[in-house]
Amino acid sequence: MSADHPPRLRFAPSPTGFLHVGGARTALLNWLYARHTGGTFLLRIEDTDRARSTEESTRAIFDGLRWLGLDWDEQVVFQGANGERHKRDAFRLLERGLAYRDFTTAEELARQREAAGDGFRIDRARVDLPQEESDRRAAAGEPFAIRFRVPDGDTAWHDAVHDWIRFPNKDIEDFIILRSDGTPVYNLAVVSDDIEMRVTFVMRGDDHISNTPKQILLYQGLGAQLPRFAHVPMIHGIDGKKLSKRHGATAVGDYAQLGILPAAMVNFLSLLGWSPGDDTEVMSLYELIRRFSLDGLQRKAAIFDPKKLEWMNGQHLSLDPLDHVEPHITRAIVDAGLATAESLHARREWYEQLLTQLRVRARTTLELAQQARVYFEPTVTYDEEAIAKFWKDVPTTRSMLQATRDRLATLDTWTADAMEQGLRALAESLGVSGGKIFQPLRVALVGVTASPGIFDVLLLLGRDTSLARLDAAVRWLDDASGAAAS
RNA sequence: GGCGCUAUCGUCUAGAGGCCUAGGACACAGCCCUCUCAAGGCUGGAACACGGGUUCGAAUCCCGUUAGCGCUACCA
């Protein structure tokens, strides 16, 4: 707790699924604080629930964190490997008289709980046996769980986001710390590991607030120094309920698949429950580290709004340094089957032009890849709406496209200036506005009504392809008028 | 039921007693720019949960109510 030492923080997920956005946000906040203060960020996998934990999930957590760019210090700790220490700590508490054996079987306990209904509390007077009897039954080999004997008084702590939180100990039941099979219960395992890992700052979801007094009691019983606590708000779905599958994508991996950039995800997540204090919204990881402060932490649960995430992604997609976003876009383009990474690299200059044109127009890399399709595939498919809108009058369109083609073909140089000059002159000679030429041309080149500026498209496509597409459009229009005539 | 946490536009938030006629962003609508689409610019509608205090003065402090969420396991 002393301010003169950099803090040690940890993220401690249980590997029972993929890295959830809620977990990712908790990890991010811990990471940001560690990096901001020059502290240490540790990772602990809480795999004590053998039945639900999988290696695949552990890998998914590593992958998710790495994708977000959240690196951890020191060796990853696997909680399941620390069973012996957890057990030792439980017995230490027992020997010090701070805990006691409970010989009630789990089945009996369940029966009592059911019979008593809602407000069931164990009766310490009946369960906490006289020392001799407890020792005798234990010596006889009778199985027992170990319960922590909650002392009188209050347990309070200064929370970094909530200020003081106080619990009367009478509201805390003597809780089990070691099961009768010798395995630790969550609160004991967490405290035992956090002490061992020398964690000085525990930042976690506020669903853990009611665990905290129990854990503080355990720290005290074990004679360890308390860490600082910060309980951050949860993330909810659009209906205000806990984020779940019903809300669509909830794993960070899902968002990678949907074309979201890690920089955008991190930026968006950081602003859910935290604010830099002013109106700044679009920030790089570096800026987030620099500006992060506990003061900006919110107390209220935040609702995950995918719309704003998309907007944020669009911002990063178009504003971040190109070499930051390029690998992610390239993956989307390769995944879409448009090109190989090698072929893109071979045409590096052209590819950068393409990205420069497209990235300001797309909100996701998926969307960008979709828009890029027409620059990779040999033929153009004409969108029905585009035809209806700009190729309505077939003979007129045909002659205009033919004239456009001829004019472009006579250009000395294939530059935007030359094209513009030539095409504007053509428009003037035909007595129409530039748009009357550009729009049908756009349909001929890309098949749809939306694209980068028409000269940029011509540049990207190149002279040969552009002229070939114009020829193909003229042929298509010939077929159309032929079909109409017969 | 008990205990705890929370409460500013639909959403994310600024606000730490007078700077608030409550600011920004997303979304929505309109306009401008313009060869289209984006981006950008401008404009508009939109909030201090309710009721009591304290104070010359409250979104900000206190109490209560209501609502939401969490915990109440030999789950994590």
Side-chain angles (χ1 to χ4, degrees):
Chain A
M1 182 125 169
S2 42
D4 32 67
H5 293 298
R8 287 172 66 83
L9 299 99
R10 46 66 164 185
F11 173 54
S14 47
T16 55
F18 296 100
L19 182 60
H20 195 269
V21 297
R25 207 273 310 247
T26 304
L28 172 63
L29 262 22
N30 276 281
W31 184 87
L32 284 174
Y33 188 62
R35 294 296 172 254
H36 178 85
T37 56
T40 307
F41 176 67
L42 306 167
L43 181 58
R44 179 173 72 231
I45 301 297
E46 307 214 320
D47 54 350
T48 45
D49 188 346
R50 288 284 157 71
R52 288 195 296 158
S53 301
T54 68
E55 222 169 282
E56 191 195 2
S57 296
T58 303
R59 216 171 318 115
I61 288 166
F62 291 162
D63 289 348
L65 290 174
R66 273 195 281 257
W67 181 73
L68 290 167
L70 309 184
D71 54 338
W72 54 91
D73 306 310
E74 303 182 12
Q75 200 62 214
V76 174
V77 172
F78 289 86
Q79 187 162 68
N82 299 140
E84 284 311 309
R85 170 168 35 77
H86 300 150
K87 200 169 173 176
R88 269 202 313 276
D89 282 341
F91 276 92
R92 241 166 78 201
L93 258 11
L94 182 65
E95 280 153 23
R96 291 181 189 179
L98 301 173
Y100 57 89
R101 301 187 188 93
D102 181 353
F103 294 93
T104 317
T105 63
E107 297 72 38
E108 168 62 11
L109 196 58
R111 202 191 57 72
Q112 288 178 16
R113 198 179 303 281
E114 185 152 356
D118 237 1
F120 176 79
R121 292 282 295 261
I122 61 132
D123 182 1
R124 185 193 285 174
R126 276 181 48 191
V127 183
D128 188 1
L129 272 19
Q131 195 63 50
E132 316 85 79
E133 184 182 353
S134 177
D135 288 348
R136 180 172 48 76
R137 289 171 67 171
E142 199 176 328
F144 58 86
I146 296 180
R147 270 185 201 278
F148 186 78
R149 187 185 289 116
V150 176
D152 293 335
D154 286 358
T155 300
W157 74 94
H158 180 85
D159 196 276
V161 352
H162 295 274
D163 287 337
W164 285 97
I165 300 181
R166 177 175 302 274
F167 283 81
N169 290 1
K170 65 173 172 52
D171 292 328
I172 307 170
E173 189 177 48
D174 285 353
F175 53 97
I176 287 180
I177 54 178
L178 197 75
R179 298 188 187 93
S180 47
D181 66 0
T183 61
V185 170
Y186 174 74
N187 283 311
L188 200 233
V190 166
V191 170
S192 180
D193 287 352
D194 280 340
I195 292 171
E196 177 76 12
M197 292 163 77
R198 307 190 326 277
V199 170
T200 62
F201 198 122
V202 173
M203 193 181 330
R204 76 236 296 199
D206 64 15
D207 51 338
H208 284 289
I209 286 179
S210 23
N211 280 324
T212 305
K214 296 179 187 173
Q215 296 186 5
I216 287 176
L217 258 13
L218 255 17
Y219 273 99
Q220 291 168 342
L222 258 8
Q225 197 179 29
L226 285 181
R228 285 184 76 189
F229 290 99
H231 287 92
V232 300
M234 310 287 289
I235 297 178
H236 288 166
I238 12 90
D239 54 0
K241 297 253 162 44
K242 203 170 171 162
L243 209 52
S244 73
K245 283 280 172 253
R246 288 181 307 125
H247 300 106
T250 54
V252 297
D254 296 342
Y255 287 97
Q257 291 306 311
L258 287 169
I260 298 295
L261 298 166
M265 193 69 190
V266 159
N267 193 168
F268 175 73
L269 251 23
S270 75
L271 259 18
L272 244 37
W274 176 76
S275 156
D278 60 22
D279 295 336
T280 317
E281 296 215 89
V282 181
M283 286 173 276
S284 67
L285 202 52
Y286 174 79
E287 278 178 283
L288 287 171
I289 292 172
R290 189 173 62 77
R291 303 204 52 168
F292 187 77
S293 154
L294 262 20
D295 298 336
L297 251 17
Q298 190 79 12
R299 311 151 96 101
K300 183 182 65 162
I303 289 172
F304 187 94
D305 179 7
K307 276 278 204 322
K308 187 149 187 176
L309 204 212
E310 270 202 17
W311 168 80
M312 184 69 81
N313 202 57
Q315 293 290 309
H316 282 276
L317 197 53
S318 44
L319 268 25
D320 285 0
L322 186 58
D323 58 311
H324 283 38
V325 296
E326 182 273 325
H328 299 100
I329 299 174
T330 299
R331 170 166 309 182
I333 286 177
V334 170
D335 284 353
L338 303 182
T340 63
E342 297 73 46
S343 69
L344 293 173
H345 188 76
R347 296 201 281 166
R348 183 148 199 87
E349 214 167 298
W350 172 83
Y351 184 46
E352 280 184 10
Q353 288 306 312
L354 179 75
L355 296 189
T356 302
Q357 287 303 325
L358 295 187
R359 69 182 183 134
V360 296
R361 277 162 247 268
R363 291 206 149 188
T364 66
T365 60
L366 233 47
E367 206 178 296
L368 195 157
Q370 187 55 40
Q371 288 170 16
R373 176 156 248 121
V374 74
Y375 301 93
F376 290 96
E377 293 191 335
T379 58
V380 180
T381 311
Y382 306 123
D383 175 65
E384 251 179 74
E385 266 180 59
I387 293 169
K389 200 163 176 192
F390 296 116
W391 284 8
K392 200 168 175 166
D393 182 340
V394 173
T396 310
T397 306
R398 188 204 178 282
S399 65
M400 187 177 297
L401 287 180
Q402 186 63 55
T404 303
R405 189 232 180 266
D406 295 342
R407 183 59 66 108
L408 288 172
T410 62
L411 259 30
D412 296 330
T413 55
W414 195 253
T415 62
D417 280 350
M419 293 165 194
E420 175 143 27
Q421 216 175 328
L423 260 26
R424 294 264 185 216
L426 173 66
E428 204 170 324
S429 72
L430 294 173
V432 297
S433 66
K436 283 279 185 283
I437 290 188
F438 301 151
Q439 295 294 28
L441 173 58
R442 171 171 283 113
V443 178
L445 295 176
V446 298
V448 290
T449 58
S451 82
I454 199 70
F455 308 117
D456 290 314
V457 174
L458 285 163
L459 249 22
L460 246 16
L461 254 19
R463 187 174 191 276
D464 294 349
T465 305
S466 297
L467 296 182
R469 287 193 178 179
L470 247 359
D471 288 336
V474 169
R475 276 198 304 278
W476 189 92
L477 286 163
D478 282 340
D479 290 351
S481 63
S486 62

